[in-house]
Amino acid sequence: MKAYSISEVAQALNLTAYTLRYYDKEGLMPFVERAPSGTRIFKESDIEALKIVECLKSTGMPIKEIKNFIDWCSEGDSTLQQRYDMFMERKATVEAQMEELKKTMELIEHKCSYYKTALNAGTESIHKKSFKDDSEPE
């Protein structure tokens, strides 16, 4: 079994050692063993658990809720329902975020098209509508 230092884990996860120490302080790494000197000793499974922490964090989940998840994992099968419910809630949150991002992308794409047309015409006035009624005599 290979052991990893905090700097190796930080590099592997594209985090800082400071971030990992913060996670430890917040109780997000109760599974990490320590050498007699107090140095953290990470295993491959610890890195995988931290990937889940990073995934949850990237969805906007607060550290306190991530801590609840970590605690539930250590409690075992009796918390399967809570963990499932938490992931279903996260899924709904991410789906809503994706819908908002889709709307944002549509607006951005529209503006890109708008400005490309204006650039090609050499003027933004290409988008101005004529309000002249063609049925009126001149």
Side-chain angles (χ1 to χ4, degrees):
M1 176 182 69
K2 179 157 172 38
Y4 299 89
S5 69
I6 195 167
S7 60
E8 289 172 320
V9 173
Q11 185 176 3
L13 296 175
N14 198 25
L15 298 171
T16 64
Y18 173 82
T19 298
L20 291 173
R21 287 185 195 99
Y22 172 74
Y23 286 175
D24 194 20
K25 184 177 106 33
E26 293 299 315
L28 302 184
M29 302 187 329
F31 42 80
V32 174
E33 295 175 18
R34 290 188 181 254
S37 64
T39 305
R40 293 169 189 86
I41 304 169
F42 293 86
K43 302 181 300 278
E44 196 67 43
S45 60
D46 299 334
I47 294 171
E48 291 307 309
L50 284 165
K51 286 179 183 176
I52 294 169
V53 168
E54 282 300 292
C55 172
L56 294 173
K57 197 167 155 278
S58 74
T59 69
M61 181 180 275
I63 295 287
K64 183 178 178 182
E65 288 182 38
I66 297 172
K67 166 100 169 73
N68 288 340
F69 171 73
I70 298 294
D71 291 345
W72 290 334
C73 288
S74 64
E75 289 174 29
D77 289 347
S78 64
T79 63
L80 285 172
Q81 185 67 52
Q82 288 108 313
R83 288 183 269 164
Y84 173 77
D85 292 345
M86 186 206 74
F87 272 98
M88 290 303 293
E89 287 174 25
R90 260 312 100 184
K91 181 177 183 265
T93 298
V94 170
E95 286 170 343
Q97 290 170 337
M98 288 171 64
E99 270 308 305
E100 283 302 309
L101 284 172
K102 185 178 172 193
K103 290 176 189 173
T104 300
M105 182 57 84
E106 288 170 2
L107 178 62
I108 289 169
E109 285 172 347
H110 169 75
K111 285 301 187 181
C112 287
S113 175
Y114 174 94
Y115 286 110
K116 182 174 181 166
T117 302
L119 278 168
N120 289 340
T123 178
E124 195 173 356
S125 66
I126 187 106
H127 295 292
K128 305 284 189 252
K129 300 276 190 249
S130 171
F131 293 105
K132 182 178 178 189
D133 184 356
D134 290 342
S135 64
E136 285 183 36
E138 295 196 25

